Amino acid sequence: MTPARPLRVAVVGAGPAGMYAAGHLLEGPGGTYLDGRLQQLVRRPVEVDVLDRLPTPWGLVRHGVAPDHPEKKLVQRIFEETANRPGFRFFGDIEVGTHVSHQDLLDWYDAVIYAHGASGDRPLGIPGEDLPGSLSAREFVAWYNGHPDYAGLPIDLSHERAVVVGNGNVALDVARILTQPVESLVSTDIADHAVSALAASKVREVVVLGRRANFHGAFSNPELAELGRIEGVQIVVENDDLPSDHDIVLDRATRRKLSTLDAYSTQPRRESERRIVLRFLSSPVEILGKDAVTGLVVGRNNLDLDGDGRAGVASGQERTVLDTGLVLRAIGYFGNPLAGIPFDSERGVIPHRDGRVLDQGTLVPGLYVTGWAKRGPQGIIGSNKKCARDTVRSLLADADSGTLSTQGTLNPDVVERRLRERQPHLVDQNAWLRLDDHERRLGRASGRPRSKLVDRRAMLMASRATIRRSN
Ligand SMILES: Cc1cc2nc3c(=O)[nH]c(=O)nc-3n(C[C@H](O)[C@H](O)[C@H](O)COP(=O)(O)OP(=O)(O)OC[C@H]3O[C@@H](n4cnc5c(N)ncnc54)[C@H](O)[C@@H]3O)c2cc1C
């Protein structure tokens, strides 16, 4: 009897969610380590092709996580281990929706998992938002992290003040990168163009605007406390004057953050090269400027403690103007629709039930979703492991119950041939390893973990070069 052929799955997106999904599908002989114990998810051989629109894998671990947080990037070792498992293939520089269609993937594979993240922005919806000098934090982060699509972004650091709108960890990442001495960044994997621009930066003050009160900040305490350790930077807290008779019950995490903020508020003012101003209960009302940003009108919000403790709308009375040439909107990433895939445009996600994609409430056979494309832009890297596990469980259950349409699935060699016809510059696993090796060698020469290539042509050339190991 001929053994059953492996289940063949395409994963769109080589970020954490896609790589965790691949890891679950290709679990080691003992199973997958989940919820503190080894669990066996897979009962048949599986082959996984992970496709990414970039020549490089790992998604926001490479292009989102701050360069001065190298410990957060160590997770890529787990992804590398997955990539070494039998049955895994990586195909980079191939975009679903451009080089291959959704229908192609459904035809070629038994099942497709969408794990393409959230690569758009939530808009502020105020006048002046589209002026040069007004950018999303997503674009700025991609710029300093060497994302090839954003390497050429014009970032004007010639003004003394920058304003960051938003109160999450991304807002704090951006404030930290803008204020910390550039010497502490040169040994990281930050993009070279960002080091040059930051070295010449005239920014002396970064104002971080929070719409709500200090106890509503979405940032976490380690990130907040880290600000206080930046050399030469004073942290100033504004609009944290809460009524003394408020009776809001605060959880332990919030009390920690308030205590950190309190320490900032009470520390003596000192001479500092730069400052970060954490201004609460403040909303941007209008971005000023004719040809580029020159200022930002900010409205003071009311604290509505009678209701659910949320801040009210911007008061018309108390408006101030901040002179600035750079406004960075850190109010959230947002999902992008892909042609042919159901999309909830209100929430920016693919609708699903247990990871199975829904089209107007009806299940689409063979189609699955995980990560930020499924949950929206929230959660840390590790959150995607459980999310991917849940999706993979649904997929495997469908495979076992015979719900997947396995007729017409192509064999791996034919799929690769088709992909190469559509994208002759395809970066496969070996090509990525050559590019990876090249970047690491370049970085080692100057004491950095890697020196990122940011130009697609240079990346492709390095991916084709023969590996010359330096040791
Ligand atoms: C600025 C920032 C900093 C962060 N810092 C931390 C941190 O320090 N620690 C932490 O735990 N978490 C951090 N996170 C959260 C973490 O990065 C996310 O939880 C995680 O990356 C989400 O994984 P994902 O795979 O869903 O999406 P992504 O990481 O965005 O991966 C999606 C992948 O899909 C690819 N793709 C998109 N469209 C297509 C297409 N059409 N065809 C093919 N491929 C496509 C993209 O190129 C990308 O590689 C941070 C997030 C941000 C935004």
Side-chain angles (χ1 to χ4, degrees):
M1 207 173 79
T2 25
R5 69 162 173 81
L7 181 70
R8 307 222 58 251
V9 181
V11 175
V12 179
M19 289 307 299
Y20 279 128
H24 292 318
L25 286 165
L26 300 170
E27 63 184 16
T32 298
Y33 203 68
L34 285 167
D35 304 331
R37 65 193 172 92
L38 276 176
Q39 298 180 35
Q40 202 79 45
L41 288 179
V42 183
R43 280 180 293 277
R44 57 186 286 187
V46 183
E47 291 172 348
V48 181
D49 288 350
V50 176
L51 279 58
D52 203 288
R53 61 180 295 277
L54 293 177
T56 53
W58 319 151
L60 286 169
V61 173
R62 180 177 166 109
H63 293 124
V65 173
D68 56 340
H69 285 170
E71 71 289 353
K72 307 267 175 68
K73 300 182 190 229
L74 292 178
V75 69
Q76 71 193 46
R77 289 189 190 155
I78 293 172
F79 304 152
E80 283 161 2
E81 193 265 323
T82 295
N84 278 330
R85 288 193 195 158
F88 179 94
R89 299 194 299 183
F90 170 68
F91 295 114
D93 211 14
I94 185 143
E95 182 161 344
V96 176
T98 304
H99 302 104
V100 288
S101 71
H102 160 58
Q103 193 56 48
D104 290 332
L105 297 182
L106 267 186
D107 291 346
W108 299 349
Y109 294 89
D110 296 322
V112 185
I113 302 179
Y114 279 87
H116 60 295
S119 52
D121 302 308
R122 198 173 276 284
L124 268 178
I126 61 169
E129 193 169 354
D130 297 325
L131 280 169
S134 160
L135 296 103
S136 67
R138 183 186 61 80
E139 294 168 300
F140 184 66
V141 165
W143 171 77
Y144 66 61
N145 273 322
H147 189 301
D149 295 352
Y150 297 90
L153 209 64
I155 301 287
D156 182 359
L157 301 176
S158 64
H159 297 256
E160 290 219 341
R161 180 187 288 128
V163 182
V164 182
V165 180
N167 246 194
N169 283 336
V170 174
L172 300 196
D173 275 355
V174 163
R176 205 177 60 247
I177 295 295
L178 278 168
T179 50
Q180 71 179 290
V182 76
E183 301 76 52
S184 56
L185 289 170
V186 289
S187 58
T188 73
D189 67 357
I190 191 170
D192 293 344
H193 58 249
V195 170
S196 310
L198 289 165
S201 169
K202 298 272 186 298
V203 174
R204 294 289 168 266
E205 178 179 282
V206 177
V207 181
V208 181
L209 294 183
R211 187 167 60 91
R212 305 205 272 154
N214 54 359
F215 55 86
H216 284 129
F219 42 72
S220 38
N221 193 51
E223 274 74 9
L224 181 65
E226 192 179 359
L227 296 183
R229 296 193 292 271
I230 311 174
E231 200 192 315
V233 174
Q234 170 100 27
I235 311 299
V236 178
V237 183
E238 291 181 353
N239 296 359
D240 61 335
D241 43 332
L242 296 180
S244 55
D245 58 346
H246 73 80
D247 58 357
I248 299 168
V249 181
L250 301 172
D251 59 26
R252 197 193 303 171
T254 307
R255 287 202 304 274
R256 274 203 208 106
K257 289 191 273 183
L258 286 184
S259 135
T260 305
L261 287 170
D262 208 37
Y264 290 149
S265 302
T266 50
Q267 72 191 352
R269 291 265 164 133
R270 56 185 159 87
E271 268 307 302
S272 59
E273 269 176 56
R274 295 180 178 174
R275 39 186 240 156
I276 295 175
V277 180
L278 302 173
R279 190 192 273 199
F280 297 99
L281 289 169
S282 302
S283 286
V285 175
E286 181 180 358
I287 299 177
L288 304 174
K290 194 159 159 277
D291 305 315
V293 173
T294 56
L296 176 71
V297 182
V298 180
R300 164 94 194 222
N301 293 342
N302 299 315
L303 185 61
D304 172 15
L305 290 178
D306 294 337
D308 58 1
R310 286 166 182 260
V313 291
S315 129
Q317 306 300 317
E318 299 177 50
R319 290 189 174 187
T320 47
V321 175
L322 292 174
D323 289 335
T324 181
L326 184 64
V327 175
L328 298 170
R329 309 178 305 265
I331 57 167
Y333 288 42
F334 199 78
N336 279 341
L338 284 180
I341 312 283
F343 187 68
D344 176 343
S345 50
E346 290 277 305
R347 296 180 54 229
V349 294
I350 295 181
H352 73 98
R353 190 187 305 140
D354 302 327
R356 299 177 175 96
V357 173
L358 289 172
D359 190 2
Q360 300 185 353
T362 307
L363 289 173
V364 186
L367 202 52
Y368 301 85
V369 62
T370 186
W372 278 16
K374 171 183 171 187
R375 308 188 316 275
Q378 49 185 288
I380 59 170
I381 295 166
S383 322
N384 300 292
K385 183 170 184 182
K386 179 184 176 305
C387 178
R389 184 259 321 252
D390 294 344
T391 294
V392 164
R393 269 199 177 133
S394 296
L395 188 159
L396 293 171
D398 293 348
D400 285 349
S401 66
T403 328
L404 298 180
S405 154
T406 53
Q407 299 277 313
T409 298
L410 300 182
N411 83 46
D413 293 342
V414 178
V415 170
E416 180 165 353
R417 219 165 35 238
R418 297 258 166 104
L419 291 173
R420 287 187 188 281
E421 280 161 17
R422 304 290 179 85
Q423 170 53 301
H425 302 306
L426 200 75
V427 174
D428 62 17
Q429 175 74 4
N430 283 332
W432 152 244
L433 289 177
R434 286 191 285 271
L435 168 55
D436 184 45
D437 186 73
H438 179 82
E439 288 190 342
R440 287 181 199 263
R441 273 191 295 110
L442 276 182
R444 253 198 313 272
S446 47
R448 307 169 69 188
R450 71 171 63 236
S451 179
K452 286 181 187 167
L453 300 187
V454 300
D455 173 69
R456 274 180 189 260
R457 278 186 48 202
M459 288 168 133
L460 294 181
M461 277 171 64
S463 77
R464 289 183 199 133
T466 314
I467 296 182
R468 280 179 288 113
R469 298 222 172 254
S470 53
N471 48 16

